[in-house]
Amino acid sequence: MSAARRARPEKAGVRAALAGATRRTWAEIDLDAIAANVRALRALLAGGTRFMAVVKADGYGHGDVAVARAALQAGAEWLGVATVQEGLRLRRARIRAPVLVLGPAHPGEVGPAVGAGLSLTIASPEGLAPLLRAGRRARLHLKVDTGMTRLGVPPADVPAVLSQLALAGSHLEGVYTHLATADDPDQAFAREQLNRFESVLPAVRRRFPAAIVHAANSAAAIGTPRARYDLVRVGLAMYGLHPAPHLQDAVALQPAMRLLSRVVRAQRVPPGTAVSYGAAYRLLRASTIATVACGYADGYPRLAGLSGELVLNGERVPIAGRVCMDHLMVDAGDRAVRAGDEVELFGRTISADEVARWAQTIAYEVVCGVGPRVPRVYFRGGRPVAVRMG
């Protein structure tokens, strides 16, 4: 059987899945954009600095496995997740790259994590014991709390932790911290954190000279060269969203996600008509109200409905009334609209940052919030190559 014939059922399967996925609300994920962003961000780094693609929270809503593969193919060397279960999911997908679990592991998760070759975080002094019991096979990263006050070992406790690791013969693969204000134009607090972090590095290097040193998230990877060290941990920027307005000109990024839906009803209504819950939106003129099959259960922020817009047939139109669980309405005015018309909620014309401003939140929450019932359609070279339902 020829290669072309073998490929036909797969292509037919993608087409059939695509037809089902795009009936209501769906997200399009451009894997070429992910790869381009990785390459653009890597170009900022010194030659020896490695790149961790952070794919926690289902790849910030984009799909962890697909994003991980695209990032690794583009030059990422490490992957970052928040939980052991997220790391095991990558292993079940046969991804063998180094994976760091950034959050603390429950004692019952340590064995499976070590067996799968996941690297684990020492997130507190009291969390060290189960990691030491895992023996020399455990790959450990010591997190130092330098000012985030979330997770990590206080700098004063680092020497004691290092002594316990050395006595147990444990393998300290890395040491890191997390910057609380890397996205702030005023870098004073970030400098304080880096000073605290660097104060413990001599002790780490004396006992574990090969430990990987890392501190930079997306904002620091772009705007704080001092924080790049041996590795950077890039999340938001890899998905094409800038971590701060003042960093937008530092690197060209391509948004990877578009959220799309369809009109399911269009009706002409007279002046005075009320729209949606609470009857808070009332028409001052005759208009066409288009009902769109996307609501807050799909991940569109309810608060964005107060001032938000969608793109309908190439034009921005305002959301009319409150966003519902499964639908929202737009005021299309005198435009020609019919059921089945495609609507963009964010992506090309309207950015996730713009939706975030309407919803009084951040772009992280907008893309991570796209719900599990929204199919993901993956593109390469402008063509759909895979569909993930649910």
Side-chain angles (χ1 to χ4, degrees):
M1 183 182 294
S2 71
R5 288 187 179 181
R6 284 198 303 271
R8 283 175 190 161
E10 181 181 350
K11 290 181 179 178
V14 171
R15 286 196 296 270
L18 182 64
T22 58
R23 288 175 184 160
R24 188 180 175 278
T25 296
W26 71 101
E28 294 183 354
I29 312 299
D30 186 348
L31 297 176
D32 291 334
I34 296 286
N37 294 334
V38 170
R39 289 191 291 268
L41 291 158
R42 279 191 60 84
L44 301 175
L45 308 178
T49 302
R50 284 162 278 188
F51 188 104
M52 176 185 290
V54 180
V55 295
K56 64 181 181 178
D58 193 28
Y60 287 44
H62 294 66
D64 52 359
V65 171
V67 169
R69 287 175 174 155
L72 291 168
Q73 290 169 5
E77 296 95 344
W78 278 74
L79 300 171
V81 296
T83 69
V84 169
Q85 292 306 312
E86 289 178 340
L88 294 177
R89 175 179 163 83
L90 297 178
R91 291 293 188 246
R92 288 193 295 270
R94 300 184 179 180
I95 293 174
R96 300 303 175 205
V99 176
L100 174 61
V101 179
L102 297 161
H106 184 275
E109 296 177 318
V110 172
V114 171
L118 302 179
S119 299
L120 298 175
T121 289
I122 303 168
S124 65
E126 57 272 21
L128 180 59
L131 299 174
L132 294 178
R133 288 195 293 269
R136 297 186 179 187
R137 287 196 308 145
R139 303 171 183 179
L140 304 179
H141 285 236
L142 171 59
K143 185 168 189 178
V144 183
D145 183 4
T146 59
M148 183 72 178
T149 318
R150 182 175 64 181
L151 294 171
V153 174
D157 294 337
V158 167
V161 170
L162 293 173
S163 294
Q164 292 179 71
L165 290 168
L167 285 172
S170 297
H171 174 46
L172 188 67
E173 187 176 49
V175 56
Y176 72 104
T177 193
H178 188 70
L179 301 177
T181 62
D183 58 351
D184 194 322
D186 182 353
Q187 291 284 287
F189 190 71
R191 287 192 295 271
E192 287 181 27
Q193 284 194 262
L194 292 173
N195 289 341
R196 292 173 193 148
F197 182 53
E198 290 171 1
S199 73
V200 306
L201 293 184
V204 173
R205 290 181 174 124
R206 278 195 298 272
R207 290 187 181 270
F208 302 96
I212 300 166
V213 178
H214 49 113
N217 55 8
S218 287
I222 296 169
T224 312
R226 176 185 170 188
R228 291 170 185 163
Y229 299 114
D230 301 323
L231 176 146
V232 297
R233 306 185 304 268
V234 177
L236 189 73
M238 183 177 66
Y239 302 98
L241 300 169
H242 288 275
H246 71 281
L247 298 174
Q248 288 187 1
D249 294 335
V251 60
L253 300 175
Q254 303 175 30
M257 179 188 286
R258 295 180 73 206
L259 184 62
L260 302 162
S261 189
R262 294 197 184 277
V263 173
V264 294
R265 183 190 186 194
Q267 57 178 322
R268 192 72 182 171
V269 296
T273 299
V275 183
S276 198
Y277 288 114
Y281 189 96
R282 288 185 179 272
L283 292 164
L284 300 177
R285 69 203 186 295
S287 185
T288 297
I289 296 295
T291 301
V292 177
C294 182
Y296 58 77
D298 301 293
Y300 192 83
R302 186 173 182 269
L303 196 56
L306 297 175
S307 55
E309 299 174 330
L310 310 182
V311 178
L312 172 61
N313 295 331
E315 294 184 82
R316 286 181 177 239
V317 293
I319 296 174
R322 297 173 184 170
V323 174
C324 308
M325 182 180 287
D326 308 301
H327 298 90
L328 57 80
M329 283 68 79
V330 296
D331 186 346
D334 296 326
R335 298 170 181 84
V337 186
R338 62 182 181 180
D341 285 352
E342 187 175 290
V343 173
E344 180 189 273
L345 293 104
F346 65 79
R348 292 178 183 164
T349 304
I350 294 174
S351 70
D353 287 305
E354 198 166 3
V355 175
R357 286 195 294 273
W358 294 329
Q360 300 174 35
T361 184
I362 54 177
Y364 295 80
E365 188 173 4
V366 172
V367 292
C368 289
V370 175
R373 78 177 181 185
V374 176
R376 270 63 167 177
V377 181
Y378 294 96
F379 283 76
R380 279 193 182 279
R383 296 176 179 273
V385 294
V387 177
R388 192 187 83 179
M389 305 292 290

